[in-house]
Amino acid sequence: LGVQAPELLAPPRPRHEVMVLVDGLDRAVLHALQYARQLNPLSITALHVAADPDAAARLARQWAGLPLAVPLEVVHCPNRDLVACATHAVGERVRPDTEVTVLLPRHGDQGRFHRLLHDQTGRNLFAALNRLTGVNVAIVHPPAAAAVLRPAAGASVHPALL
């Protein structure tokens, strides 16, 4: 082992917060939010790093229209360095008494170019966040399409869930 056992076996920090990084509102994000609830943290926050203020405003309006008990925090990133902006926003949450878990929803149904572009950004983001002390990072894969529950006939469904 490259790490001493006492470091790995230290008592847990008394506070646990979960942040779900969101770039839109879809099944992958909703699944990550559900998974965040399973972790039973003191708080859950959805974090959107915004390079496009108009897209951020649209997401905030969509978010407000859903019955979610999770606040959406928008961090503006005018220099478009999403990795640095997200890392800074997450790093601000870390305190000596707080463990932060960051969940990265995996969007598996994107086109080849979109997947290639975002997989590289995702890898860079994962690596940058993983270097922060007191931060755990996990990629959350949505369930297989066959396992997704369908709404009851006649039920109203938000477009993000279709």
Side-chain angles (χ1 to χ4, degrees), residues 49-108:
V49 180
D52 178 354
D54 293 334
R58 281 191 302 277
L59 176 61
R61 282 192 303 275
Q62 280 184 317
W63 200 270
L66 289 177
L68 297 173
V70 176
L72 175 67
E73 181 179 317
V74 177
V75 174
H76 294 283
C77 188
N79 66 0
R80 303 184 72 83
D81 185 347
L82 302 178
V83 172
C85 290
T87 303
H88 179 74
V90 171
E92 288 183 334
R93 297 291 180 110
V94 177
R95 294 180 298 282
D97 69 337
T98 304
E99 192 82 19
V100 177
T101 298
V102 178
L103 301 179
L104 305 174
R106 174 76 168 128
H107 305 277

Side-chain angles (χ1 to χ4, degrees), residues 3-158:
V3 178
Q4 297 295 321
E7 291 177 47
L8 295 175
L9 301 174
R13 295 176 185 200
R15 297 179 48 86
H16 180 217
E17 297 181 13
V18 174
M19 299 182 79
V20 179
L21 269 59
V22 301
D23 60 355
L25 188 55
D26 59 16
R27 286 183 182 274
V29 167
L30 295 173
H31 178 69
L33 290 169
Q34 179 62 29
Y35 180 72
R37 292 179 58 211
Q38 298 296 324
L39 297 175
N40 200 23
L42 290 175
S43 69
I44 302 171
T45 303
L47 176 67
H48 176 68
V49 180
D52 178 354
D54 293 334
R58 281 191 302 277
L59 176 61
R61 282 192 303 275
Q62 280 184 317
W63 200 270
L66 289 177
L68 297 173
V70 176
L72 175 67
E73 181 179 317
V74 177
V75 174
H76 294 283
C77 188
N79 66 0
R80 303 184 72 83
D81 185 347
L82 302 178
V83 172
C85 290
T87 303
H88 179 74
V90 171
E92 288 183 334
R93 297 291 180 110
V94 177
R95 294 180 298 282
D97 69 337
T98 304
E99 192 82 19
V100 177
T101 298
V102 178
L103 301 179
L104 305 174
R106 174 76 168 128
H107 305 277
D109 58 349
Q110 307 290 334
R112 184 172 177 235
F113 176 74
H114 188 269
R115 189 171 52 245
L116 178 68
L117 173 68
H118 289 279
D119 278 353
Q120 185 60 45
T121 301
R123 282 191 293 274
N124 292 343
L125 181 60
F126 185 90
L129 292 172
N130 231 10
R131 286 191 290 270
L132 295 175
T133 301
V135 174
N136 303 294
V137 186
I139 297 170
V140 180
H141 296 266
V148 175
L149 296 175
R150 301 288 177 224
S156 87
V157 179
H158 191 277

